Amino acid sequence: MVPKLVRGFLDEHSDKHIDFRFHNSTGLTMDMIQGLKDRRYDVAFCSYVEQEPTIEFIPIAKQELVLIVPEGHPLESRDSIDLKETLQYPQVGFSTRSGLHRVIKKLFEKCGGHPEVVCSVEEDEAVAGLVGAGFGVAVVPRMPILDYMPVKPIQIAKPSWERNFYMATLKNVYQAPVIQAFKTYVAEHADL
């Protein structure tokens, strides 16, 4: 999604010399927020973080979450599921530094329970890899790589949930006109 937004912005401003530099050293929301505060980045695309009064979060896309199970798992035949039914199975989770950790924790709180988390990692691809290797089941964003892994994505029917993906910038600081123009472009082309 981000490369598509950048490409569209550059195409609309082809008469100007605009230089983008992309960073994804960790991909963790908290690291990106710190990078904004340290002025290493002008814009970050990440999860929403509560109690960050210096950061403006603009929702730009909804992200579907799915349950993934390894091939051969008892739930593999299911097309949708009430997440409460998964509490009996070991789960692969996201580390507390991941923006998804809080989202998934709240999702399970709605179910009235907490799963046994057998291991936690930071990257969603790593979570999917561990599920594919049989370490447990997991809630992850629907992503194209799941089609090439030994996992089965299952739609979450209950509880109801919504996860947005955000563009984040510092509030109350000078931003070059090109940054303002990019923010406007992204907000106008948001996929909500």
Side-chain angles (χ1 to χ4, degrees):
M1 174 186 57
V2 173
K4 186 177 175 183
L5 288 167
V6 171
R7 177 79 272 151
F9 179 76
L10 289 172
D11 288 348
E12 276 195 12
H13 296 88
S14 60
D15 59 323
K16 296 182 173 71
H17 178 73
I18 300 171
D19 185 30
F20 277 88
R21 291 191 179 93
F22 298 93
H23 301 273
N24 189 19
S25 57
T26 65
L28 296 175
T29 294
M30 295 311 296
D31 292 341
M32 288 186 259
I33 297 301
Q34 191 59 51
L36 286 172
K37 290 177 179 178
D38 295 343
R39 305 294 304 261
R40 287 180 299 178
Y41 317 130
D42 295 308
V43 178
F45 295 94
C46 58
S47 300
Y48 178 81
V49 179
E50 295 178 359
Q51 299 179 354
E52 284 292 346
T54 63
I55 306 294
E56 176 183 25
F57 291 94
I58 300 169
I60 60 165
K62 291 188 185 306
Q63 188 173 40
E64 181 183 9
L65 296 176
V66 294
L67 175 76
I68 56 172
V69 299
E71 292 176 345
H73 192 275
L75 297 174
E76 184 181 20
S77 63
R78 302 285 296 273
D79 292 321
S80 69
I81 196 160
D82 180 335
L83 208 52
K84 191 174 195 173
E85 297 175 65
T86 70
L87 290 171
Q88 64 183 306
Y89 298 102
Q91 306 228 357
V92 177
F94 286 89
S95 73
T96 55
R97 294 189 61 218
S98 168
L100 280 169
H101 175 81
R102 290 177 291 285
V103 171
I104 294 168
K105 183 178 178 182
K106 287 180 182 179
L107 200 55
F108 277 107
E109 286 171 358
K110 286 183 171 184
C111 294
H114 294 282
E116 173 198 359
V117 177
V118 294
C119 58
S120 299
V121 293
E122 295 177 345
E123 296 288 335
D124 37 15
E125 292 90 353
V127 170
L130 289 167
V131 170
F135 283 87
V137 302
V139 175
V140 299
R142 182 176 292 280
M143 49 193 165
I145 195 171
L146 296 178
D147 295 335
Y148 304 100
M149 301 183 83
V151 299
K152 162 79 184 287
I154 302 171
Q155 179 185 14
I156 299 171
K158 288 184 180 178
S160 62
W161 55 270
E162 180 178 282
R163 178 169 194 251
N164 289 323
F165 192 60
Y166 295 85
M167 173 177 55
T169 58
L170 275 177
K171 292 180 183 175
N172 304 319
V173 297
Y174 171 78
Q175 293 176 331
V178 69
I179 301 300
Q180 290 290 345
F182 181 67
K183 285 175 54 178
T184 300
Y185 178 87
V186 170
E188 289 173 354
H189 292 83
D191 190 19
L192 289 175

